[in-house]
Amino acid sequence: HKREAPELLLQNAGLKKTKARLAILTYLQENPTPHSTEDISRALVNNTDTSTIYRSLETLESCRIITRIDFKKGRAYYEIVDPDHHHHH
């Protein structure tokens, strides 16, 4: 299963390749389970400030590059949208 490079995902969506967006996508691809906003901002806190991460997550979600899953207690989790979501097993 081939993963699109983060740069390509942004390019295909017509988004600018910002450091925060690339960092988020790289992180989600390398850790392919749903992650909370807190997980993501903790992982990237050294390179990117939290408000930029939150804004980038919203942008990526609205462009359907990542998807938001609302788990209990109202916490949002994000993961990369799988382009072949109809699984061929």
Side-chain angles (χ1 to χ4, degrees):
H1 167 63
K2 185 176 76 63
R3 289 192 311 210
E4 292 286 350
E7 290 84 355
L8 270 176
L9 290 170
L10 293 173
Q11 191 179 312
N12 295 342
L15 291 174
K16 284 217 237 8
K17 300 179 185 79
T18 66
K19 198 175 69 173
R21 290 170 188 167
L22 290 169
I24 290 167
L25 291 174
T26 302
Y27 176 74
L28 289 175
Q29 285 188 335
E30 288 170 355
N31 306 277
T33 54
H35 291 277
S36 70
T37 317
E38 291 82 9
D39 292 340
I40 296 166
S41 49
R42 255 199 312 275
L44 305 178
V45 75
N46 298 331
N47 336 335
T48 318
D49 68 284
T50 311
S51 60
T52 305
I53 291 168
Y54 279 67
R55 270 200 315 277
S56 300
L57 285 167
E58 285 173 12
T59 304
L60 293 169
E61 187 202 356
S62 66
C63 293
R64 296 186 168 75
I65 297 173
I66 62 174
T67 185
R68 190 170 96 170
I69 305 153
D70 287 309
F71 284 129
K72 45 207 161 302
K73 302 196 199 102
R75 287 180 69 182
Y77 287 73
Y78 293 90
E79 65 181 353
I80 292 217
V81 170
D82 185 351
D84 6 281
H85 216 52
H86 37 273
H87 296 289
H88 341 272
H89 285 299

